[in-house]
Amino acid sequence: MSGKDRKKQLARQRYERQQQRRDAQERQARRVKVIGGVTAVVLLGGAGAGVAVAMSGDGKTKPEKTGAAATPTATAAPVVKPGECGYLASADQGAPKGLGKPPVKPAYKGTVAATIKTSLGDVAVSLDAAKAPCAVGSFAFLAQKNYFHNTQCHRLTTGSLQVLQCGDPTGSGSGGPGYRFANENTTGAKYTRGVLAMAHSQQPDSNGSQFFIVYGDSKDLPADYTVFGKVTSGLDVIDQVAKAGPDNSNGAGDGKPKKKIEINDVTITKK
């Protein structure tokens, strides 16, 4: 190999190492830490976020699965008119081509009924379009596009944080719809049994398609996750999954549900 070729090879290797470090830094920037007792647990989702990470009381990070890197514009907040929703493009894994974005003007007002049909039974929910019009608009849009069809609920947590997380087309915790939007209805939010809320990364305005169902009061969860509805019937379905527990792949009490649950369909009934 000539000296010139060797220089090119070294330069290429140096570039690849730099790119790998940059990607790792961007993934790290998208993590959200939720304090629960002695253990710090990460809730991730939406806008290309990764899967779960758990940290022990001594601050050592346990094994993790990483997600898509943040886009260069990930920190830019949507600029929208009052009464409208800002859905910004996001580089998400698993985003269907040609999916599009929900209407800028909220399509629903007041209460909207929906049914999450799962492989273990139906879960009926009441969506609050009055307090979270953009989240409800996005959820309904994705439902009508069959986005949730045959998607696996990929994360179950137990202990002080008791949630089942769903809505990722990849089933890994890294997927999203190809757009993101801002938080809503977080002031004074309480994550009690039956609450339906959006998962997001630590980047501003990073809600996507991932959401979680609270099956047990999670008092240590900070009021930073958009509450957009509540379960009206079918919580026993979630209880079945919770009883079987997680596989602990993300740390004790955190991982994929041992009892597999898939979303077969989501139907919306406007009221």
Side-chain angles (χ1 to χ4, degrees):
M1 179 182 294
S2 68
K4 185 176 182 181
D5 290 339
R6 179 58 178 166
K7 287 182 179 180
K8 288 182 179 180
Q9 182 185 47
L10 292 173
R12 182 171 62 253
Q13 291 174 345
R14 186 163 52 250
Y15 170 79
E16 290 174 349
R17 288 195 299 270
Q18 292 173 343
Q19 188 63 39
Q20 289 172 354
R21 285 196 296 270
R22 191 176 299 114
D23 289 346
Q25 291 170 351
E26 289 175 340
R27 288 195 294 267
Q28 177 67 27
R30 299 187 68 77
R31 295 172 186 160
V32 176
K33 189 179 296 180
V34 178
I35 305 299
V38 179
T39 304
V41 183
V42 176
L43 249 186
L44 297 170
V51 220
V53 178
M55 296 183 69
S56 60
D58 59 7
K60 295 180 179 179
T61 305
K62 296 181 180 179
E64 64 173 358
K65 299 174 183 177
T66 56
T71 60
T73 57
T75 57
V79 178
V80 296
K81 298 178 181 178
E84 293 186 350
C85 301
Y87 300 106
L88 297 186
S90 179
D92 296 331
Q93 293 184 17
K97 292 183 179 179
L99 178 67
K101 300 175 185 177
V104 172
K105 293 185 177 180
Y108 300 93
K109 297 179 180 179
T111 301
V112 180
T115 302
I116 303 172
K117 298 179 180 295
T118 81
S119 55
L120 300 178
D122 291 355
V123 179
V125 297
S126 176
L127 308 178
D128 192 346
K131 294 182 179 180
C134 300
V136 171
S138 173
F139 187 80
F141 169 81
L142 294 175
Q144 292 160 354
K145 293 285 186 175
N146 298 328
Y147 176 90
F148 296 114
H149 279 199
N150 303 320
T151 58
Q152 185 176 351
C153 292
H154 61 276
R155 185 183 181 196
L156 176 72
T157 64
T158 59
S160 59
L161 180 64
Q162 301 182 50
V163 305
L164 176 68
Q165 192 167 332
C166 313
D168 174 9
T170 70
S172 68
S174 301
Y179 64 81
R180 59 187 177 87
F181 59 96
N183 280 356
E184 301 172 287
N185 195 31
T186 57
T187 302
K190 303 294 183 183
Y191 303 96
T192 53
R193 178 173 165 82
V195 161
L196 189 66
M198 296 299 302
H200 64 72
S201 75
Q202 74 177 20
Q203 293 290 342
D205 310 312
S206 58
N207 297 289
S209 61
Q210 293 188 42
F211 63 93
F212 59 92
I213 298 172
V214 184
Y215 66 86
D217 293 356
S218 300
K219 298 179 181 178
D220 293 325
L221 196 60
D224 189 44
Y225 300 89
T226 296
V227 174
F228 69 101
K230 62 181 180 180
V231 176
T232 54
S233 68
L235 262 177
D236 58 308
V237 172
I238 311 303
D239 290 338
Q240 291 179 48
V241 181
K243 186 176 181 180
D247 65 5
N248 296 326
S249 56
N250 301 315
D254 188 348
K256 289 185 177 294
K258 288 182 179 179
K259 190 176 184 68
K260 184 178 179 180
I261 177 171
E262 288 186 342
I263 296 177
N264 298 328
D265 191 17
V266 177
T267 59
I268 305 293
T269 304
K270 186 175 179 180
K271 287 188 174 181

